[in-house]
Amino acid sequence: MSNRKTTALLAGLALIAALSGCASASESGSDVKDDAGKGVTKIGFIMVGPKDDYGYNQAVYEGSQALKADFPDVEILTAENVPEDDTAATTMEQMISKGAKLIFATSYGHLDAAVKVAEKHPDVIVLQQGNTITTDVPPNMGTYFGTVYEPMYLAGIAAGASTKSDKLGYVYAFPIPQTIANINAFERGARSVNPDVETITAATGSWCDPSAQKDKAAALLKAGADVLTQHQDCTATVINTAKEAGAMTVGYHADASALTPDLWLTGAVWNWGPLYKQLVQKVIDGTFVGSEFNANYRVGFKTGTNPFVLAPYGPLVSDDTKAKIEAAKAFLATPDGSPFVGPLKDNKGKEQVAAGVVPTYAENDAMDYFVDGVIGSVK
Amino acid sequence: MSLPVDVLAAGVAGGTSIMFAALGETIGERAGVINLGIEGSMLAGALGAYVVAVETGSPWTGVLVGGIAGAALAAVHAFLVVWRRANQMASGLTVLFLALGLTALFGVKYVGSGKKLDHAFDVWNVPVLHDLPVVGQILFEHNALVYLGFVTVPVVWFALFKTRIGLLVRTAGERAETLTVHGYSVPWLRTLAVTCGGFLAGIGGAYLSIGYANAWRENMIQGKGFIAVALVIFAVWSPVRVMAGAWLFGCALSLGSALQARGYEVNQFLLQALPFVLTLVVLTVIGRRTLSSSPAELKKVFENAETG
């Protein structure tokens, strides 16, 4: 193709892009009614992966299907493997054309498409799972998520009470705030029952690279860890590596006790049912606009709808430990309950939370340091 | 255990997949064909082995099928470059992308925890030898596939340098016209070499999925096939040096993990780059010397690419 033709083509494309941009912008505006979504009879869920991934997306799917029991008259539409680009908007549009008045866009990267669809359809409520709207939240939108570090704190108690070497191993991907909070809560939970325990960390640099997971897990075991846990999307490799070495496992995402029945302690697993039910009820009642959900809504054990719960216990967890975990869970449900109540030092000795201070959810979501007792660097 | 012993032992285990692939690539390049699709053969091997090991419960059948899958893919490359005279670089990359797409498509059922491989190859300490101080821990406390790697090195060396067929393969890479004069088919010899190379690369992939990580994931080879191609040059097309180079790369990988696990404050991204930096440095240092000793027909590939 000649240069001139290419230029003409590019200019044409740019013009089309600009025009379509104007078109969608002109349709935005706040004509959202106060009872938008009232009496919804069809609900759409879009998921970024397959509904049977034994992880994030399966949890969403199971949560969506659980709604059928509470709302037998409501039809649930689901779409799997929806990419985090404009395909997401197209998929949501299709659901709306089928009559859906409530959409759950369940992947972090679905947010942009969700905002676009919400602007275009003031009569539809669009909820996004896990991301945060940094501008004013539109009246027909909301984001929601849970606090995974709470069950990781409880799992830390099980690990701290069970370890013989006083060393716990943590395989993670990147030092992002959510992961850092998980690791810190795990160590804090372990410390609460075992003052000598340390959590050693190793980063794979990927959400799922099985051979890197094997490298890291093996190195943690060599360094003396006898309990392994992780923050990875695929979990089997780390669990198998621990099992082969006779080390215990704390799970993540899914109950994997079937993989390592004798050495399974517990873990953080998903349960979206209760929160989805609350959200749907609010929309059906026509009271969503202006409610607490019409915002960046975060839940924990305090609200009783944390989508992250503790997995069933394995045989190594003693009754005494279970009682301690129950007590800690009750504490986290109190207004001042948190894994990070001050005084809290980082692993370089600097005080991060003053004595008696309870950090907020937002502060925990922005953690950029490892607490005392964690071996590793956030850099 | 001490840090150096840990790093070396983990390096041997971590470098084995690259060693199989680089041994395979050595055979092909000795015959005058460079195969950038070796990464694809590893992917095909990893998926083939995983599927068969899960479905039949027999890991050894998995290894065999993994090898065959790798060989099949390499045969496609051989067909394109030997029989259709396609550009070797372009064909290799095409074959790689074909493998990436196909394995992602057919492997989707096996991602995550849906279909699980419980135990493929257990660690088996070699009697007597593993009691040796230091060396025992480094070399003789692995699983059967690592030992298979140990055995493959002298086998490939023997086949290439001590057998008639090895001589013919090497001649195909050095003075192809001599073979034609004596009535041998250069295309068939090259096809054989490249396909055998793919078989070994397939076993390298199988090692990753059922002998190391015990999981399947799309694109799980993560560039190890390309490292293998680079390694062959660094090793001056010698199987024994390939082994040393693969272990060196494995140690660079395991050094990072071991340092992290012992609480050294090192940047994770720097650690992940270390094995690749090491490979680059070694190639740069050795590069000039190796060029003169590369198979003559292989040099033609590059010279033709430059002029044509």
Side-chain angles (χ1 to χ4, degrees):
Chain A
M1 199 186 293
S2 76
N3 267 340
R4 186 182 287 183
K5 271 187 192 162
T6 316
T7 315
L9 185 69
L10 286 176
L13 286 175
L15 189 65
I16 293 167
L19 286 174
S20 58
C22 292
S24 64
S26 66
E27 279 172 33
S28 70
S30 186
D31 31 11
V32 176
K33 294 201 188 77
D34 284 348
D35 62 348
K38 185 176 183 182
V40 57
T41 54
K42 281 187 186 169
I43 301 174
F45 282 82
I46 63 167
M47 294 169 270
V48 71
K51 68 180 193 309
D52 49 4
D53 67 350
Y54 282 76
Y56 188 89
N57 296 293
Q58 179 162 343
V60 167
Y61 183 76
E62 283 169 2
S64 73
Q65 299 306 300
L67 288 170
K68 286 179 178 168
D70 295 306
F71 307 100
D73 302 331
V74 172
E75 189 182 339
I76 308 290
L77 313 171
T78 58
E80 304 171 65
N81 299 312
V82 179
E84 295 175 329
D85 54 26
D86 252 15
T87 319
T90 315
T91 312
M92 287 186 259
E93 293 282 355
Q94 282 164 356
M95 288 174 160
I96 290 167
S97 70
K98 283 183 193 158
K101 294 276 182 240
L102 171 58
I103 303 279
F104 287 79
T106 62
S107 186
Y108 191 87
H110 286 154
L111 181 64
D112 290 348
V115 171
K116 210 164 113 180
V117 171
E119 278 178 354
K120 211 169 158 190
H121 297 277
D123 57 330
V124 175
I125 306 289
V126 183
L127 297 171
Q128 200 284 328
Q129 180 169 309
N131 210 329
T132 305
I133 300 172
T134 49
T135 56
D136 288 343
V137 177
N140 59 335
M141 274 203 82
T143 72
Y144 59 92
F145 211 57
T147 42
V148 66
Y149 52 79
E150 290 181 339
M152 283 314 285
Y153 177 79
L154 303 182
I157 297 174
S162 308
T163 176
K164 303 272 187 298
S165 65
D166 291 336
K167 290 193 171 83
L168 316 174
Y170 214 121
V171 178
Y172 70 100
F174 302 102
I176 58 169
Q178 192 195 94
T179 302
I180 293 172
N182 284 351
I183 293 171
N184 288 344
F186 187 70
E187 168 65 15
R188 294 278 282 182
R191 276 276 164 112
S192 73
V193 293
N194 179 348
D196 299 322
V197 76
E198 290 178 327
T199 298
I200 315 170
T201 62
T204 59
S206 163
W207 290 108
C208 179
D209 176 351
S211 75
Q213 290 174 346
K214 171 81 180 195
D215 294 341
K216 303 303 170 186
L220 290 170
L221 294 167
K222 283 270 178 74
D226 65 352
V227 180
L228 290 192
T229 189
Q230 58 185 314
H231 188 180
Q232 294 277 280
D233 277 356
C234 52
T235 59
T237 299
V238 172
I239 295 171
N240 272 325
T241 307
K243 179 185 168 190
E244 280 168 21
M248 295 168 271
T249 284
V250 165
Y252 197 75
H253 282 318
D255 178 0
S257 51
L259 261 185
T260 177
D262 302 331
L263 295 163
W264 174 263
L265 293 177
T266 179
V269 298
W270 303 85
N271 179 23
W272 283 111
L275 181 58
Y276 285 174
K277 185 182 167 187
Q278 278 191 351
L279 292 167
V280 170
Q281 190 65 57
K282 198 63 131 188
V283 176
I284 286 181
D285 293 347
T287 51
F288 174 84
V289 179
S291 73
E292 71 271 34
F293 302 132
N294 183 199
N296 292 307
Y297 183 67
R298 294 297 180 268
V299 298
F301 285 152
K302 290 185 206 357
T303 56
T305 48
N306 195 347
F308 300 99
V309 295
L310 202 63
Y313 296 116
L316 293 171
V317 183
S318 70
D319 288 339
D320 179 44
T321 305
K322 287 177 194 169
K324 283 177 181 158
I325 291 173
E326 283 308 313
K329 193 176 169 186
F331 165 69
L332 291 179
T334 63
D336 285 341
S338 165
F340 306 117
V341 179
L344 181 73
K345 274 189 199 161
D346 67 23
N347 66 355
K348 298 198 171 66
K350 187 182 162 207
E351 186 180 81
Q352 293 282 358
V353 181
V357 173
V358 182
T360 63
Y361 283 153
E363 283 165 348
N364 295 338
D365 279 344
M367 275 191 162
D368 59 357
Y369 57 88
F370 282 137
V371 298
D372 186 29
V374 174
I375 310 290
S377 163
V378 294
K379 273 185 286 202
Chain B
M1 272 192 271
S2 71
L3 180 71
V5 173
D6 285 355
V7 169
L8 290 168
V12 168
T16 293
S17 65
I18 295 168
M19 184 169 85
F20 275 114
L23 285 172
E25 180 69 11
T26 303
I27 300 174
E29 290 192 20
R30 278 281 178 183
V33 180
I34 189 162
N35 183 3
L36 294 183
I38 216 82
E39 170 106 359
S41 283
M42 292 178 83
L43 273 172
L47 178 63
Y50 192 80
V51 169
V52 169
V54 167
E55 300 296 345
T56 68
S58 160
W60 282 111
T61 315
V63 172
L64 182 69
V65 171
I68 292 170
L73 201 74
V76 174
H77 176 65
F79 173 75
L80 290 172
V81 303
V82 175
W83 300 94
R84 311 301 304 174
R85 298 197 162 272
N87 177 290
Q88 295 198 2
M89 307 294 146
S91 165
L93 289 175
T94 307
V95 163
L96 162 63
F97 287 114
L98 176 75
L100 265 174
L102 288 179
T103 55
L105 177 67
F106 292 113
V108 75
K109 256 199 329 183
Y110 296 86
V111 175
S113 322
K115 297 246 183 181
K116 248 177 228 151
L117 180 77
D118 211 16
H119 252 287
F121 288 96
D122 286 322
V123 169
W124 180 72
N125 295 345
V126 181
V128 187
L129 289 176
H130 95 98
D131 290 327
L132 292 170
V134 186
V135 176
Q137 286 172 24
I138 295 172
L139 292 180
F140 300 112
E141 296 183 354
H142 294 289
N143 68 31
L145 283 183
V146 175
Y147 304 136
L148 180 67
F150 293 177
V151 177
T152 308
V153 176
V155 167
V156 169
W157 174 83
F158 186 84
L160 274 177
F161 296 98
K162 298 290 161 190
T163 65
R164 183 167 177 77
I165 186 83
L167 177 69
L168 293 172
V169 163
R170 283 185 295 123
T171 311
E174 293 288 355
R175 265 185 218 93
E177 67 279 11
T178 335
L179 289 174
T180 318
V181 169
H182 287 87
Y184 293 104
S185 163
V186 174
W188 276 113
L189 280 166
R190 287 186 175 161
T191 304
L192 176 75
V194 171
T195 309
C196 285
F199 186 82
L200 286 181
I203 291 180
Y207 171 74
L208 269 189
S209 69
I210 64 174
Y212 193 66
N214 289 3
W216 159 256
R217 173 85 178 183
E218 71 276 1
N219 195 16
M220 75 177 288
I221 307 300
Q222 298 274 325
K224 291 190 176 66
F226 287 103
I227 290 293
V229 175
L231 192 60
V232 173
I233 301 166
F234 150 49
V236 206
W237 297 272
S238 144
V240 178
R241 290 187 194 205
V242 158
M243 179 175 77
W247 287 354
L248 179 67
F249 186 84
C251 289
L253 275 177
S254 66
L255 178 67
S257 306
L259 288 177
Q260 270 188 340
R262 278 172 173 74
Y264 289 91
E265 294 223 345
V266 269
N267 182 293
Q268 65 155 323
F269 301 103
L270 198 69
L271 283 183
Q272 277 144 19
L274 180 68
F276 300 93
V277 172
L278 187 77
T279 309
L280 269 179
V281 168
V282 168
L283 280 177
T284 317
V285 171
I286 303 214
R288 202 166 280 279
R289 185 161 62 82
T290 53
L291 206 63
S292 58
S293 48
S294 84
E297 299 284 334
L298 205 59
K299 264 190 248 172
K300 281 190 198 163
V301 173
F302 296 98
E303 283 156 12
N304 288 346
E306 276 164 23
T307 54

